[in-house]
Amino acid sequence: MDMVSLRYTSKKPKLKNPILIEGLPGIGNVGKLAVEHLIDTLKAKKFAEIHSKDFPPQVFINPDGTVKLANNEFYYWKAKKKNQMDLILLTGDYQGLSSNGQYELVEKILDIAEEFGAKEIYTLGGYGLGHEMESPKVLCATTSKNLVKSMKKHGAIFKKNEPGGGIVGASGLLLGLGGLRGIQGACLMGETPGYLVDPKSAKAVLKILMKVTNVNVSLSALEKKAKEIEHIAHQLREMEGSMSKEKSEELKYIG
Amino acid sequence: MDMVSLRYTSKKPKLKNPILIEGLPGIGNVGKLAVEHLIDTLKAKKFAEIHSKDFPPQVFINPDGTVKLANNEFYYWKAKKKNQMDLILLTGDYQGLSSNGQYELVEKILDIAEEFGAKEIYTLGGYGLGHEMESPKVLCATTSKNLVKSMKKHGAIFKKNEPGGGIVGASGLLLGLGGLRGIQGACLMGETPGYLVDPKSAKAVLKILMKVTNVNVSLSALEKKAKEIEHIAHQLREMEGSMSKEKSEELKYIG
Amino acid sequence: MDMVSLRYTSKKPKLKNPILIEGLPGIGNVGKLAVEHLIDTLKAKKFAEIHSKDFPPQVFINPDGTVKLANNEFYYWKAKKKNQMDLILLTGDYQGLSSNGQYELVEKILDIAEEFGAKEIYTLGGYGLGHEMESPKVLCATTSKNLVKSMKKHGAIFKKNEPGGGIVGASGLLLGLGGLRGIQGACLMGETPGYLVDPKSAKAVLKILMKVTNVNVSLSALEKKAKEIEHIAHQLREMEGSMSKEKSEELKYIG
Amino acid sequence: MDMVSLRYTSKKPKLKNPILIEGLPGIGNVGKLAVEHLIDTLKAKKFAEIHSKDFPPQVFINPDGTVKLANNEFYYWKAKKKNQMDLILLTGDYQGLSSNGQYELVEKILDIAEEFGAKEIYTLGGYGLGHEMESPKVLCATTSKNLVKSMKKHGAIFKKNEPGGGIVGASGLLLGLGGLRGIQGACLMGETPGYLVDPKSAKAVLKILMKVTNVNVSLSALEKKAKEIEHIAHQLREMEGSMSKEKSEELKYIG
């Protein structure tokens, strides 16, 4: 039994030089939100899933009372126009728990990418700033200097040696290990406070990805979610405000 | 040397489409209590045990001074009536310590289930509420919509997306990985405060399982244990009460 | 590369039905002290060592400035009298760090035991009480009822279901996994406060082991060490005493 | 897929009985600083890299916006004079995260050392004292008594049983596992407070290594870095000083 196993859930699709787009859970869940939004709006079709012994030993409960084993899922979408490419979309419940599990998971994803002839990988994630910002920028890192140029044209930002801690997890490894296999790619990191799920940052990331892929989707559902989250964030700040006020009043009684 | 190894402790029993019932340690030890009660009252016979390098490196001391290696144990019981099925009962000292160990353990249990032709698995566990309740309900999740229907008839409760965190451990994995092998099953989760072992919750779970299997056992031993635990819980609450009273009195002296 | 590897450091000795005696680090280092004392006083000869990837990645510095890789070491001693058996003595720097590493280590030790035809294993350890005692008793657990009888004759104590937590580590696993291979054995656990290395407890364990093996050694070196440790313990208690006195005096100034 | 994999990044160099010099991250980053300084000043050439599933799943961002997978890197330098030896220089981003990963990494490094016919290994590291010192001494430990003698001549210090905790990590394992393969070597440990990266300690280590190898490099770049660090350390001490002063003033207000 391998640590990571792939299972086709439908017939293998025939894809032509597809682009792989990854969005697994991470800071602000930016990548996962973005890829799930693409899957929903493009009506992409699920064709395979990955299980790993390095995912938590867990099933989730579906709304109908049945269970779903923790997994990663592959969807595909076929190009409608000449200037588009077929897409493989990857999202899921977890990344690997351990270093070893992360490497094994990413090697398996790259196996799929190679099997379907993917030449490019775009990985989506968040870049946690730890504070609020007006409009999130999208940082980028790539496997080659050529891609740096083209990503800049599409509006992605490159800051020298940033993120300082590099990119940890599947979004980084897919580029690092993919590069060793000769697969080009870029990581798009939407700035995010990092406290809550961040649809606004996911929207910023998708805006650039839409330019890269010439695939345009409505972002209104993300905008709606963003407003809901902003409302929640506002309420949390108010609660904190009143609590710290109470606290400082309490403190006055000491001494 | 595999991580998980099976060892027959008696001749392989001949069973006809048995049902596998799992009750390993967990919240309130509900599942373990329930399966141990079945083993005791049905006088089920042990036929195999599992050792795993992912169990703690530990032996237990038997009352006669000999040692027992930490394990999981399989028992069987043969149907007495036409509307009953043979049973394989699984309990043990531990679940796997790591994610990897949990997956390996459950794959091995499913190998046994398949070898004996088991078509259904019932996994028993607790659902920790963190507070006391009058009479524990039994939540359920299954591998198929058909089983949702029949389990509802037997009195199991389905709440949308509950438990919110899904089911973690062998009780969940047996359904998740079993489903991938085409084995149907359901998880019965007895509500429990989760502080102490909970025979009352085990009793509630068994009441439903008895309807599923048409196997009826006396529950009086569990009821007796439940009363003992209630007595202990009462004493603990009194101790806590007097302690927090002391504490608040002590606090008066400050300042 | 296996997790655990054996390396002969001299020609394989020819031994006749040897007894394996294990004393690896543990509570109060009772087992390690006892086996090291046997090795020293019997002038046992080293013949093999075990390295494990589950030992810390560490070398120790010898007094002459050279390094020694963390290991477990096997020594042998040949019987001098008719009523004695050859001995294999096992001690070392570490037990395995993980569950998996513990099982792999013990399986390798049992391979050696079987290769040399060992029929019995005695494992030595401490039983931590968390408080001082006059003269440490020696608790015991065995692989068979026969051995319970003979160990009682030699003065070992059996208390029902004690130690309550069973025996964790190599001393327990050697009996548990050894029993599955048909190798008989007993674990001797010297009572110890468990705070410091405890030569007095090691001495109590050896007294019983000497009756089992008919091999008698002088215990004076252990007695000397025990006095040194008692002196240190006394000093520590005095320091604690004066510190807590200071503390309570300090506390008077608050308020 | 192995845990550790080697990848040549250029044609295999032809080396004659090279010396392997290791400097991976550790206390005060002494070893890494020293080997990086050698690579820079000798203009050593990279020829291979190691990736490990036990390194963090991480890429770093190059100044040009491209990514680099976390790795260990091998460089070589060819002797210019008769009394010099060819050098293999090893540095990198990480050591293995787990015990197992450390052993696997070091075994792979030793495979390379053997492939190129290396007869000696020098491992460089720091010896954390936890306090400032005037001029750092360089402690040493070796695989053989002969090397103890020659290293003493070169100015390395041997203190009985020091470091007391032995040597943990690649610097120790390379000697311990290398010794089992018949490769001689020594570990040079520069004393360091251990709070900050310590170029002064790296310089002390290199001074001795230069005598061992007859390879002389300018140390001025390290000296410059040392002054910068000293300046930072001075500022930190001042900040701490003023903070603890503030704190003690604040404390006066209590009560």
Side-chain angles (χ1 to χ4, degrees), chain A residues 44-114:
Chain A
K45 276 170 198 148
K46 181 174 164 184
F47 68 97
E49 59 188 20
I50 281 178
H51 299 111
S52 168
K53 291 179 184 168
D54 201 46
F55 292 157
Q58 187 177 15
V59 294
F60 297 96
I61 315 291
N62 295 317
D64 66 1
T66 61
V67 297
K68 194 208 82 164
L69 184 58
N71 70 4
N72 281 191
E73 298 186 328
F74 288 95
Y75 292 77
Y76 71 93
W77 176 85
K78 290 206 166 234
K80 307 294 181 224
K81 297 180 187 170
K82 277 208 171 164
N83 65 349
Q84 296 175 336
M85 310 286 264
D86 291 351
L87 301 182
I88 296 176
L89 299 154
L90 171 66
T91 188
D93 301 309
Y94 289 107
Q95 301 198 16
L97 292 176
S98 70
S99 268
N100 190 26
Q102 284 271 19
Y103 278 88
E104 296 270 353
L105 176 63
V106 165
E107 295 279 21
K108 183 63 88 181
I109 295 169
L110 288 169
D111 289 348
I112 304 302
E114 282 191 330

Coordinates of all heavy atoms in Angstrom, one line a residue, chain A residues 44-114:
Chain A
A44 N -16.8 22.6 -14.0 CA -15.8 21.6 -14.3 C -16.2 20.2 -13.8 O -17.0 20.2 -12.8 CB -14.5 22.0 -13.7
K45 N -15.7 19.2 -14.4 CA -16.1 17.8 -14.0 C -15.0 17.1 -13.3 O -13.9 17.0 -13.7 CB -16.5 17.0 -15.3 CG -17.9 17.3 -15.8 CD -18.1 16.8 -17.1 CE -19.4 17.4 -17.7 NZ -19.3 17.5 -19.2
K46 N -15.4 16.4 -12.2 CA -14.5 15.7 -11.4 C -14.2 14.4 -12.1 O -15.0 13.7 -12.7 CB -15.2 15.3 -10.0 CG -14.3 14.5 -9.1 CD -14.9 14.3 -7.8 CE -14.1 13.1 -7.0 NZ -14.7 12.8 -5.8
F47 N -12.9 14.0 -12.1 CA -12.5 12.8 -12.8 C -11.6 11.9 -12.0 O -11.4 10.7 -12.3 CB -11.9 13.0 -14.2 CG -10.5 13.7 -14.1 CD1 -9.3 13.0 -14.2 CD2 -10.4 15.1 -14.0 CE1 -8.1 13.6 -14.2 CE2 -9.2 15.7 -14.0 CZ -8.0 15.0 -14.1
A48 N -11.0 12.4 -10.9 CA -10.1 11.6 -10.1 C -10.0 12.1 -8.7 O -10.3 13.3 -8.4 CB -8.7 11.5 -10.7
E49 N -9.6 11.3 -7.7 CA -9.3 11.7 -6.4 C -8.1 11.1 -5.8 O -7.7 9.9 -6.2 CB -10.5 11.5 -5.5 CG -11.0 10.1 -5.3 CD -12.3 10.0 -4.6 OE1 -13.1 11.0 -4.5 OE2 -12.6 8.9 -4.1
I50 N -7.4 11.8 -4.9 CA -6.2 11.2 -4.3 C -6.6 11.0 -2.8 O -7.2 11.9 -2.1 CB -5.1 12.2 -4.4 CG1 -4.4 12.1 -5.8 CG2 -4.0 12.0 -3.3 CD1 -3.3 13.1 -6.0
H51 N -6.2 9.8 -2.3 CA -6.2 9.6 -0.8 C -4.8 9.4 -0.4 O -3.9 8.9 -1.1 CB -7.1 8.3 -0.5 CG -8.5 8.5 -0.9 ND1 -9.0 7.7 -2.0 CD2 -9.5 9.3 -0.5 CE1 -10.3 8.1 -2.2 NE2 -10.6 9.0 -1.3
S52 N -4.6 9.8 0.9 CA -3.2 9.7 1.4 C -3.3 9.3 2.9 O -4.1 9.7 3.6 CB -2.5 11.1 1.3 OG -1.3 11.1 2.1
K53 N -2.3 8.4 3.2 CA -2.2 8.0 4.6 C -1.6 9.1 5.5 O -1.5 8.9 6.7 CB -1.4 6.7 4.7 CG -2.1 5.5 4.1 CD -1.2 4.3 4.1 CE -2.0 3.2 3.4 NZ -1.1 2.0 3.1
D54 N -1.3 10.2 4.8 CA -0.8 11.3 5.6 C -1.8 12.4 5.7 O -1.6 13.5 6.2 CB 0.5 11.9 4.9 CG 1.3 12.7 5.9 OD1 1.5 12.2 7.0 OD2 1.8 13.8 5.5
F55 N -3.1 12.2 5.2 CA -4.2 13.0 5.5 C -4.7 12.5 6.9 O -4.5 11.4 7.2 CB -5.3 12.9 4.5 CG -5.0 13.5 3.1 CD1 -5.7 13.0 2.0 CD2 -4.0 14.4 3.0 CE1 -5.4 13.5 0.7 CE2 -3.7 15.0 1.7 CZ -4.4 14.5 0.6
P56 N -5.4 13.4 7.6 CA -6.0 12.9 8.9 C -7.0 11.7 8.6 O -7.6 11.6 7.5 CB -6.8 14.1 9.4 CG -6.1 15.3 8.8 CD -5.7 14.8 7.4
P57 N -7.0 10.7 9.5 CA -7.9 9.6 9.3 C -9.4 10.0 9.6 O -9.9 9.8 10.7 CB -7.4 8.6 10.4 CG -6.8 9.4 11.4 CD -6.3 10.7 10.8
Q58 N -10.0 10.6 8.6 CA -11.2 11.3 8.8 C -12.2 11.2 7.6 O -11.8 11.2 6.5 CB -10.9 12.8 9.0 CG -12.0 13.7 9.4 CD -11.5 15.1 9.6 OE1 -10.4 15.5 9.2 NE2 -12.3 15.9 10.2
V59 N -13.5 11.0 8.0 CA -14.5 11.2 6.9 C -15.4 12.4 7.3 O -15.5 12.8 8.4 CB -15.5 10.0 6.8 CG1 -14.7 8.7 6.3 CG2 -16.2 9.6 8.1
F60 N -15.9 13.1 6.2 CA -16.8 14.2 6.4 C -18.2 13.7 6.2 O -18.5 12.7 5.5 CB -16.5 15.3 5.5 CG -15.1 15.9 5.7 CD1 -14.0 15.5 5.0 CD2 -14.9 16.8 6.8 CE1 -12.7 16.0 5.3 CE2 -13.7 17.3 7.0 CZ -12.6 16.9 6.3
I61 N -19.2 14.4 6.8 CA -20.6 14.0 6.6 C -21.3 14.8 5.5 O -21.3 16.1 5.6 CB -21.4 14.2 7.9 CG1 -20.6 13.7 9.1 CG2 -22.8 13.6 7.8 CD1 -20.4 12.3 9.2
N62 N -21.7 14.2 4.5 CA -22.5 14.9 3.4 C -23.8 15.3 3.9 O -24.4 14.8 4.9 CB -22.6 14.0 2.2 CG -21.3 13.7 1.5 OD1 -20.4 14.5 1.4 ND2 -21.2 12.4 1.2
P63 N -24.5 16.3 3.2 CA -25.8 16.8 3.7 C -26.8 15.6 3.7 O -27.8 15.7 4.5 CB -26.2 17.8 2.6 CG -24.9 18.3 2.1 CD -23.9 17.2 2.1
D64 N -26.6 14.6 2.9 CA -27.6 13.5 2.9 C -27.3 12.4 3.9 O -28.0 11.4 3.9 CB -27.7 12.9 1.4 CG -26.4 12.2 1.0 OD1 -25.5 12.2 1.8 OD2 -26.4 11.7 -0.1
G65 N -26.3 12.6 4.7 CA -26.1 11.6 5.8 C -25.0 10.6 5.4 O -24.7 9.8 6.3
T66 N -24.5 10.6 4.2 CA -23.5 9.7 3.8 C -22.1 10.3 4.1 O -22.0 11.5 4.4 CB -23.6 9.3 2.3 OG1 -23.4 10.5 1.5 CG2 -24.9 8.7 2.0
V67 N -21.1 9.5 4.1 CA -19.7 10.0 4.4 C -18.8 10.2 3.2 O -19.0 9.5 2.2 CB -19.0 9.0 5.4 CG1 -19.8 8.9 6.7 CG2 -18.8 7.7 4.8
K68 N -17.9 11.0 3.3 CA -16.9 11.3 2.3 C -15.5 11.2 2.9 O -15.2 11.9 3.8 CB -17.1 12.6 1.6 CG -16.3 12.8 0.3 CD -16.0 14.3 0.1 CE -14.7 14.7 0.8 NZ -14.1 15.9 0.4
L69 N -14.6 10.3 2.4 CA -13.3 10.2 2.9 C -12.4 11.5 2.6 O -12.5 12.0 1.4 CB -12.6 9.0 2.3 CG -11.2 8.6 2.8 CD1 -11.2 8.4 4.3 CD2 -10.7 7.3 2.0
A70 N -11.7 12.0 3.5 CA -10.8 13.1 3.3 C -10.0 12.9 2.0 O -9.3 11.8 1.9 CB -9.9 13.4 4.5
N71 N -9.9 13.8 1.1 CA -9.2 13.6 -0.2 C -8.8 14.9 -0.8 O -9.0 16.0 -0.3 CB -10.1 12.8 -1.1 CG -11.3 13.6 -1.6 OD1 -11.4 14.8 -1.4 ND2 -12.2 12.9 -2.4
N72 N -8.1 14.8 -2.0 CA -7.9 15.8 -2.9 C -8.6 15.4 -4.2 O -8.7 14.2 -4.5 CB -6.4 16.0 -3.2 CG -5.6 16.8 -2.2 OD1 -4.5 17.1 -2.4 ND2 -6.2 17.0 -1.0
E73 N -9.2 16.4 -4.9 CA -10.0 16.1 -6.1 C -9.5 16.8 -7.4 O -9.2 18.0 -7.3 CB -11.4 16.4 -5.8 CG -12.0 15.7 -4.6 CD -13.5 15.9 -4.4 OE1 -14.0 17.0 -4.7 OE2 -14.2 15.0 -4.0
F74 N -9.5 16.0 -8.5 CA -9.1 16.6 -9.8 C -10.4 16.8 -10.6 O -11.2 15.9 -10.7 CB -8.2 15.6 -10.5 CG -6.8 15.5 -10.0 CD1 -6.5 14.5 -9.1 CD2 -5.9 16.4 -10.4 CE1 -5.2 14.4 -8.6 CE2 -4.6 16.3 -9.9 CZ -4.2 15.3 -9.0
Y75 N -10.5 18.0 -11.2 CA -11.6 18.4 -12.1 C -11.0 18.8 -13.4 O -9.8 19.2 -13.5 CB -12.4 19.5 -11.6 CG -13.2 19.2 -10.3 CD1 -12.6 19.1 -9.1 CD2 -14.6 19.0 -10.4 CE1 -13.3 18.8 -7.9 CE2 -15.3 18.7 -9.3 CZ -14.7 18.6 -8.0 OH -15.4 18.3 -6.9
Y76 N -11.7 18.6 -14.5 CA -11.2 19.2 -15.8 C -12.2 20.1 -16.4 O -13.4 20.0 -16.2 CB -10.8 18.0 -16.7 CG -11.9 17.3 -17.3 CD1 -12.5 17.6 -18.5 CD2 -12.5 16.2 -16.6 CE1 -13.6 16.9 -19.1 CE2 -13.6 15.5 -17.2 CZ -14.1 15.9 -18.4 OH -15.2 15.2 -18.9
W77 N -11.7 20.9 -17.3 CA -12.6 21.8 -18.1 C -12.0 22.0 -19.5 O -10.8 22.1 -19.6 CB -12.7 23.2 -17.4 CG -13.4 24.2 -18.2 CD1 -14.8 24.4 -18.2 CD2 -12.9 25.2 -19.1 NE1 -15.1 25.5 -19.0 CE2 -14.0 26.0 -19.6 CE3 -11.6 25.6 -19.5 CZ2 -13.8 27.0 -20.5 CZ3 -11.5 26.6 -20.4 CH2 -12.6 27.3 -20.9
K78 N -12.8 21.8 -20.5 CA -12.2 21.9 -21.9 C -12.4 23.3 -22.5 O -13.4 23.9 -22.3 CB -13.0 20.9 -22.8 CG -12.7 19.4 -22.4 CD -12.9 18.5 -23.6 CE -12.3 17.2 -23.4 NZ -11.4 16.8 -24.5
A79 N -11.3 23.7 -23.2 CA -11.3 25.0 -23.7 C -12.4 25.3 -24.7 O -12.8 24.3 -25.4 CB -9.9 25.2 -24.5
K80 N -13.0 26.5 -24.7 CA -14.1 26.8 -25.6 C -13.6 27.7 -26.7 O -14.3 27.8 -27.8 CB -15.2 27.6 -24.8 CG -15.7 26.9 -23.5 CD -16.4 25.7 -23.8 CE -16.9 25.0 -22.4 NZ -16.7 23.6 -22.4
K81 N -12.5 28.4 -26.6 CA -12.1 29.3 -27.6 C -10.6 29.0 -28.0 O -9.9 28.2 -27.2 CB -12.1 30.8 -27.0 CG -13.4 31.3 -26.6 CD -13.3 32.7 -26.1 CE -14.7 33.2 -25.6 NZ -14.5 34.4 -24.8
K82 N -10.2 29.5 -29.1 CA -8.9 29.2 -29.6 C -7.7 29.6 -28.7 O -6.7 29.0 -28.6 CB -8.7 29.8 -31.0 CG -9.3 29.0 -32.1 CD -8.6 29.2 -33.4 CE -9.1 28.2 -34.4 NZ -8.7 28.6 -35.8
N83 N -7.9 30.8 -28.0 CA -6.8 31.3 -27.2 C -6.8 30.7 -25.8 O -6.1 31.2 -24.9 CB -6.8 32.8 -27.2 CG -8.1 33.3 -26.5 OD1 -9.0 32.6 -26.2 ND2 -8.1 34.6 -26.2
Q84 N -7.7 29.7 -25.6 CA -7.7 29.1 -24.2 C -7.0 27.7 -24.2 O -6.8 27.1 -25.3 CB -9.2 28.9 -23.8 CG -9.9 30.2 -23.6 CD -11.4 30.0 -23.3 OE1 -12.0 28.9 -23.7 NE2 -12.0 31.0 -22.7
M85 N -6.7 27.2 -23.0 CA -6.1 25.9 -22.9 C -7.1 25.1 -22.0 O -7.9 25.6 -21.2 CB -4.8 26.0 -22.1 CG -3.8 27.0 -22.7 SD -3.1 26.4 -24.2 CE -1.6 25.7 -23.6
D86 N -7.1 23.8 -22.2 CA -7.8 22.9 -21.3 C -7.3 23.1 -19.8 O -6.1 23.4 -19.7 CB -7.7 21.4 -21.7 CG -8.4 21.1 -23.0 OD1 -9.1 22.0 -23.5 OD2 -8.2 20.0 -23.5
L87 N -8.1 22.9 -18.9 CA -7.7 23.1 -17.5 C -7.9 21.8 -16.7 O -8.9 21.1 -16.8 CB -8.5 24.2 -16.8 CG -8.5 25.6 -17.4 CD1 -9.4 26.6 -16.6 CD2 -7.1 26.2 -17.6
I88 N -6.9 21.5 -15.8 CA -7.0 20.6 -14.7 C -7.1 21.4 -13.4 O -6.1 22.1 -13.2 CB -5.9 19.5 -14.7 CG1 -5.9 18.7 -16.0 CG2 -6.0 18.6 -13.5 CD1 -4.7 17.7 -16.0
L89 N -8.1 21.2 -12.7 CA -8.3 22.0 -11.4 C -8.2 21.0 -10.2 O -8.8 20.0 -10.2 CB -9.7 22.7 -11.4 CG -9.8 23.6 -12.6 CD1 -11.3 23.8 -12.9 CD2 -9.2 25.0 -12.3
L90 N -7.3 21.4 -9.3 CA -7.1 20.5 -8.1 C -7.4 21.3 -6.8 O -6.9 22.4 -6.6 CB -5.6 20.1 -8.1 CG -5.1 19.4 -6.8 CD1 -5.8 18.1 -6.7 CD2 -3.6 19.3 -6.8
T91 N -8.3 20.7 -6.0 CA -8.5 21.2 -4.7 C -8.7 20.1 -3.7 O -8.5 18.9 -4.2 CB -9.7 22.2 -4.7 OG1 -9.7 22.8 -3.4 CG2 -11.0 21.5 -4.9
G92 N -9.0 20.3 -2.5 CA -9.1 19.2 -1.6 C -9.3 19.6 -0.1 O -9.3 20.8 0.2
D93 N -9.4 18.6 0.7 CA -9.6 18.9 2.2 C -8.3 19.2 2.9 O -8.4 20.0 3.9 CB -10.2 17.6 2.8 CG -11.5 17.2 2.2 OD1 -12.4 18.1 2.0 OD2 -11.7 16.1 1.8
Y94 N -7.2 18.6 2.5 CA -6.0 18.8 3.3 C -4.8 18.8 2.3 O -4.8 18.3 1.2 CB -5.8 17.6 4.2 CG -6.8 17.6 5.4 CD1 -7.8 16.7 5.4 CD2 -6.6 18.5 6.4 CE1 -8.7 16.7 6.5 CE2 -7.5 18.5 7.5 CZ -8.5 17.6 7.5 OH -9.4 17.6 8.6
Q95 N -3.7 19.3 2.8 CA -2.4 19.0 2.3 C -1.8 17.9 3.2 O -2.4 17.5 4.2 CB -1.5 20.3 2.4 CG -2.0 21.4 1.7 CD -0.9 22.5 1.4 OE1 0.3 22.2 1.5 NE2 -1.4 23.7 1.0
G96 N -0.7 17.3 2.8 CA 0.0 16.3 3.7 C 0.3 16.9 5.1 O 0.5 18.1 5.2
L97 N 0.2 16.0 6.1 CA 0.5 16.5 7.5 C 2.0 16.6 7.7 O 2.4 17.5 8.4 CB -0.1 15.5 8.5 CG -1.7 15.4 8.6 CD1 -2.0 14.3 9.6 CD2 -2.3 16.7 9.0
S98 N 2.8 15.7 7.2 CA 4.2 15.7 7.5 C 5.0 16.1 6.2 O 4.4 16.2 5.1 CB 4.6 14.3 7.8 OG 4.6 13.4 6.7
S99 N 6.2 16.4 6.4 CA 7.1 16.8 5.2 C 7.1 15.6 4.2 O 6.8 15.9 3.0 CB 8.5 16.9 5.7 OG 8.8 18.2 6.0
N100 N 7.3 14.4 4.7 CA 7.3 13.3 3.8 C 6.0 13.2 3.0 O 6.0 13.0 1.8 CB 7.5 12.0 4.6 CG 7.7 10.8 3.8 OD1 8.2 10.9 2.7 ND2 7.4 9.6 4.3
G101 N 4.9 13.4 3.7 CA 3.5 13.3 3.1 C 3.3 14.4 2.1 O 2.7 14.2 1.0
Q102 N 3.9 15.6 2.3 CA 3.8 16.7 1.4 C 4.5 16.3 0.1 O 4.0 16.5 -1.0 CB 4.4 18.0 2.0 CG 3.5 18.6 3.0 CD 2.5 19.6 2.4 OE1 2.3 19.6 1.2 NE2 2.0 20.5 3.2
Y103 N 5.7 15.8 0.2 CA 6.5 15.5 -1.0 C 5.8 14.4 -1.8 O 5.7 14.4 -3.0 CB 7.9 15.0 -0.6 CG 8.9 16.2 -0.3 CD1 9.0 16.7 1.0 CD2 9.7 16.7 -1.3 CE1 9.9 17.8 1.2 CE2 10.6 17.7 -1.1 CZ 10.7 18.3 0.2 OH 11.6 19.3 0.5
E104 N 5.3 13.4 -1.1 CA 4.7 12.2 -1.8 C 3.4 12.7 -2.5 O 3.2 12.3 -3.6 CB 4.3 11.1 -0.8 CG 5.5 10.5 0.0 CD 6.0 9.2 -0.8 OE1 5.4 8.8 -1.8 OE2 7.0 8.7 -0.3
L105 N 2.7 13.6 -1.8 CA 1.4 14.1 -2.5 C 1.8 14.8 -3.7 O 1.1 14.6 -4.8 CB 0.7 15.0 -1.5 CG -0.6 15.7 -2.0 CD1 -1.6 14.7 -2.3 CD2 -1.1 16.6 -0.9
V106 N 2.8 15.7 -3.6 CA 3.1 16.6 -4.8 C 3.7 15.7 -5.9 O 3.4 16.0 -7.1 CB 4.1 17.7 -4.3 CG1 4.7 18.4 -5.5 CG2 3.3 18.7 -3.5
E107 N 4.5 14.7 -5.6 CA 5.0 13.8 -6.7 C 3.9 13.2 -7.4 O 3.9 13.0 -8.6 CB 6.0 12.8 -6.1 CG 7.2 13.3 -5.4 CD 8.3 13.6 -6.5 OE1 8.0 13.8 -7.7 OE2 9.5 13.7 -6.0
K108 N 2.8 12.7 -6.6 CA 1.7 12.1 -7.3 C 0.9 13.1 -8.2 O 0.5 12.7 -9.3 CB 0.8 11.5 -6.2 CG -0.4 10.7 -6.7 CD -0.1 9.5 -7.5 CE 0.1 8.3 -6.6 NZ 0.5 7.1 -7.3
I109 N 0.7 14.3 -7.7 CA 0.1 15.3 -8.5 C 0.8 15.6 -9.8 O 0.3 15.7 -10.9 CB -0.1 16.6 -7.7 CG1 -1.0 16.4 -6.5 CG2 -0.7 17.7 -8.6 CD1 -1.1 17.6 -5.5
L110 N 2.2 15.6 -9.7 CA 3.0 15.8 -10.9 C 2.9 14.6 -11.8 O 3.0 14.8 -13.0 CB 4.4 16.1 -10.4 CG 4.7 17.5 -9.8 CD1 6.1 17.5 -9.1 CD2 4.5 18.6 -10.8
D111 N 2.8 13.4 -11.3 CA 2.6 12.3 -12.1 C 1.3 12.5 -13.0 O 1.4 12.2 -14.2 CB 2.4 11.0 -11.3 CG 3.7 10.5 -10.6 OD1 4.8 11.1 -11.0 OD2 3.6 9.7 -9.7
I112 N 0.3 12.9 -12.4 CA -1.0 13.2 -13.2 C -0.7 14.3 -14.2 O -1.1 14.2 -15.4 CB -2.1 13.6 -12.2 CG1 -2.3 12.6 -11.1 CG2 -3.4 13.9 -13.0 CD1 -2.7 11.3 -11.6
A113 N -0.1 15.4 -13.8 CA 0.2 16.5 -14.7 C 0.9 16.0 -15.9 O 0.6 16.3 -17.0 CB 1.0 17.5 -14.0
E114 N 1.9 15.1 -15.7 CA 2.7 14.6 -16.8 C 1.9 13.6 -17.6 O 2.0 13.6 -18.9 CB 4.0 13.8 -16.2 CG 5.1 14.8 -15.8 CD 6.4 14.1 -15.5 OE1 6.3 12.9 -15.1 OE2 7.4 14.7 -15.7

